[in-house]
């Protein structure tokens, strides 16, 4: 996905990194730290996805892996298809697991 993260969000990410320790991204790179994001489609995991993209683009961290689990409890096929396309646009490996829901009643 070739989009620029807005300057205001980049500044926020840098502020977060400063509070965590300025050398943290370099530490992750030198230790080849692996990142796995269990993505739900919500706001929290979406901002974490952007943060990982920012870290990958700016600091060259290891390529994160994304994971999504569909419990199959409700039918949201269209939303899940859109989410999968969205996730694939980041260029990160994606594991998209769909479990069939079984009603035991």
């Amino acid at each position: 996905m070739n989009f620029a993260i807005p300057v205001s969000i980049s500044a926020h990410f840098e502020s977060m990194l400063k509070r965590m320790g300025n050398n943290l991204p370099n530490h992750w790179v030198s230790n080849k730290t692996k990142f796995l994001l269990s993505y739900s489609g919500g706001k929290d995991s979406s901002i974490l996805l952007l943060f990982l993209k920012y870290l990958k683009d700016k600091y060259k961290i290891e390529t994160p892996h994304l994971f999504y689990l569909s419990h199959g409890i409700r039918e949201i096929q269209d939303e899940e298809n859109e989410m999968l396309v969205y996730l694939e646009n980041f260029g990160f490996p994606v594991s998209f697991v769909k479990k069939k829901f079984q009603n035991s009643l």
Side-chain angles (χ1 to χ4, degrees), residues 18-55:
K18 186 175 182 180
R19 284 178 280 169
M20 292 189 292
N22 286 338
N23 200 35
L24 195 53
N26 295 327
H27 175 74
W28 290 332
V29 170
S30 65
N31 287 314
K32 298 185 179 191
T33 302
K34 306 255 187 258
F35 293 91
L36 171 67
L37 174 61
S38 181
Y39 187 78
S40 69
K43 292 177 185 177
D44 293 337
S45 60
S46 293
I47 198 71
L48 281 171
L49 178 58
L50 285 177
F51 185 55
L52 289 172
K53 180 188 180 341
Y54 178 78
L55 291 171

Side-chain angles (χ1 to χ4, degrees), residues 62-99:
E62 294 282 317
T63 300
H65 192 96
L66 309 177
F67 178 80
Y68 175 80
L69 172 65
S70 172
H71 295 280
I73 295 171
R74 54 195 160 104
E75 188 56 42
I76 54 171
Q77 185 68 40
D78 291 340
E79 292 90 344
E80 288 177 341
N81 288 341
E82 289 176 21
M83 183 188 311
L84 182 57
V85 169
Y86 175 71
L87 292 177
E88 288 175 341
N89 283 325
F90 279 82
F92 300 158
V94 178
S95 295
F96 197 89
V97 177
K98 188 161 184 141
K99 182 180 183 232

